[in-house]
Amino acid sequence: MADAFSFKVLATDGKARRGVIDMPRGEIRTPAFMPVGTGGTVKTMYMDQVRNLGADIILGNTYHLMLRPGAERVARLGGLHEFARWQHPILTDSGGFQVMSLSKLRKLTEKGVTFRSHIDGAAYEMSPERSIEIQGLLDSDIQMQLDECTALPAKEKEIERAMELSLRWAERCKTAFGDQPGRAMFGIVQGGDVPSFRVRSAQALKAMDLKGYAVGGLAVGEPQAVMLDMLDITCAELPEDKPRYLMGVGTPDDILKSVARGIDMFDCVMPTRAGRHGLAYTRRGKVNLRNARHADDPRPLDEESDCPAARDYSRAYLHHLVRSQEALGAMLLTWNNLSYYQRLMQDIRAAIGAQAFDARAAEISEGWARGDIPAN
């Protein structure tokens, strides 16, 4: 374990990169997928399970944790690592996205955002400085700047205003973060679907010499092709010796295509949310366990998987659990989904190291295209 935050690219294959982030709480092998632990828990999973699947880092959510149980309370109880029993790196988002998307009553100014909790209507203020303070109280290892994320499509003037405000907030977050050995603050590139705004945002953040850079404001309603175009433009402007994090993305296909453009880190609620709704991610694509075709099928989800949830339980049993709304159904399918995502990341890292990323990505995509096994 390192005393300071560092990032090293170990191998490249085209624009795809395999690397490692070193931090006091451990290594993060990249490309990395971070399971989302919104409120201090990866839903339906034990932390030991999450670790054993191969996760080096999880994500916590500033907005949800500040509302419940409260950042100061978490700090008094030893910080989020102790509170949740996860002694490895944690990245916290700034809370800005949830303020914009979940708070019905909010007011945005240069100072920050005032909003009412979606839980009980209580009033709160979130400034760049307060966001960094909360993330510090949570004992986060990688902290994100407060930004304004605009949903797409949006008018260019609105996209530009939000992008410029986010840059000013990045400067304030950098000042508030100060010098914290072993920890990092990442800036967030905004600019919607306007190439010139993305370039301006990336160049301005690069000039701040931050420890890492995220790409935000994508996968918020735009087609995948637009997201990939923005990644091509943005990654070309970001330094090669710093990690690049695509926020809130995504599907396995999104991940493959984004790695090919130079992205190192991902997070998304998709595998856990899908697991709670009867959907399984597999090497044959998505499988909907709600479908009646599985009711009498004794075969497992994937006989070749090393995850017990996929290998040892019949589709008929999983179908029964899902249709009966048994908690175990959500637990098993989330286990399967996070296992699949982590196995995908391991596969990607190995392929980059072997200079075979394009060929392996094509094989993986062909497996999805062939689809699930025929009904029994």
Side-chain angles (χ1 to χ4, degrees):
M1 294 185 184
D3 293 330
F5 177 95
S6 68
F7 173 66
K8 183 178 181 181
V9 176
L10 302 175
T12 59
D13 188 359
K15 294 179 181 177
R17 298 134 53 99
R18 181 173 70 88
V20 62
I21 296 171
D22 250 338
M23 304 191 75
R25 285 194 171 99
E27 286 186 349
I28 304 163
R29 296 162 294 173
T30 65
F33 179 81
M34 301 181 283
V36 175
T38 301
T41 169
V42 177
K43 287 184 172 61
T44 77
M45 295 286 288
Y46 298 110
M47 287 301 187
D48 291 345
Q49 276 181 302
V50 175
R51 180 64 174 176
N52 290 338
L53 292 178
D56 295 330
I57 179 172
I58 61 170
L59 181 144
N61 185 269
T62 292
Y63 171 86
H64 288 284
L65 289 166
M66 73 177 281
L67 298 183
R68 188 170 55 193
E72 282 77 10
R73 175 172 288 156
V74 172
R76 289 196 302 271
L77 293 168
L80 191 55
H81 298 83
E82 186 69 24
F83 192 52
R85 292 191 68 251
W86 175 267
Q87 299 304 324
H88 315 287
I90 293 176
L91 180 149
T92 45
D93 62 13
S94 69
F97 180 82
Q98 285 73 26
V99 167
M100 306 302 170
S101 62
L102 294 180
S103 303
K104 294 178 181 178
L105 297 173
R106 61 181 182 271
K107 182 180 179 183
L108 185 72
T109 67
E110 187 70 32
K111 181 181 178 182
V113 190
T114 56
F115 65 95
R116 291 194 177 276
S117 164
H118 72 285
I119 298 171
D120 58 9
Y124 290 86
E125 292 185 4
M126 176 81 84
S127 66
E129 293 77 12
R130 176 59 176 160
S131 175
I132 294 297
E133 180 186 18
I134 292 170
Q135 293 179 75
L137 288 166
L138 296 174
D139 197 20
S140 168
D141 301 285
I142 300 177
Q143 303 174 22
M144 303 304 300
Q145 72 152 105
L146 184 65
D147 65 331
E148 182 185 356
C149 178
T150 51
L152 297 177
K155 294 180 179 179
E156 283 200 13
K157 284 187 176 180
E158 180 64 12
I159 294 171
E160 184 175 29
R161 182 202 59 75
M163 181 269 291
E164 294 286 3
L165 178 64
S166 295
L167 287 176
R168 295 192 294 275
W169 283 0
E171 289 277 15
R172 289 167 57 188
C173 285
K174 179 183 177 182
T175 300
F177 181 81
D179 181 24
Q180 299 186 35
R183 295 185 182 182
M185 191 207 90
F186 285 14
I188 303 176
V189 177
Q190 289 291 352
D193 54 359
V194 183
S196 62
F197 296 167
R198 287 283 172 182
V199 170
R200 279 166 53 190
S201 179
Q203 289 179 344
L205 289 169
K206 181 179 177 179
M208 296 180 201
D209 192 27
L210 304 172
K211 296 284 183 66
Y213 299 90
V215 183
L218 294 176
V220 290
E222 82 285 1
Q224 186 195 56
V226 173
M227 179 186 80
L228 298 177
D229 285 345
M230 294 304 105
L231 288 182
D232 281 328
I233 292 162
T234 303
C235 287
E237 300 296 331
L238 293 175
E240 298 206 351
D241 61 344
K242 303 288 181 70
R244 303 166 184 161
Y245 162 32
L246 179 55
M247 304 184 75
V249 174
T251 67
D253 185 57
D254 287 336
I255 289 173
L256 276 184
K257 288 182 168 64
S258 300
V259 166
R261 287 159 172 81
I263 294 296
D264 306 301
M265 301 170 70
F266 301 87
D267 82 280
C268 191
V269 298
M270 204 166 286
T272 48
R273 181 175 289 167
R276 299 195 303 278
H277 290 86
L279 287 172
Y281 285 93
T282 77
R283 60 190 172 90
R284 303 181 177 107
K286 276 197 298 186
V287 178
N288 186 348
L289 271 304
R290 291 185 174 277
N291 289 347
R293 59 165 288 196
H294 302 293
D296 294 301
D297 195 335
R299 297 172 296 179
L301 264 177
D302 186 351
E303 69 287 351
E304 294 182 11
S305 174
D306 59 4
C307 175
R311 185 191 63 221
D312 298 343
Y313 294 84
S314 72
R315 290 168 179 244
Y317 184 57
L318 295 172
H319 170 79
H320 157 69
L321 293 175
V322 170
R323 293 298 296 267
S324 302
Q325 298 184 332
E326 289 286 350
L328 183 59
M331 294 167 67
L332 289 173
L333 292 182
T334 301
W335 189 10
N336 166 80
N337 289 349
L338 287 178
S339 172
Y340 179 76
Y341 267 64
Q342 292 301 337
R343 177 61 64 184
L344 176 66
M345 304 316 293
Q346 293 167 20
D347 208 351
I348 287 170
R349 292 192 295 266
I352 295 170
Q355 299 288 291
F357 174 72
D358 287 346
R360 184 62 187 132
E363 289 175 359
I364 293 169
S365 297
E366 287 165 9
W368 299 331
R370 282 195 297 270
D372 195 19
I373 55 177
N376 201 11

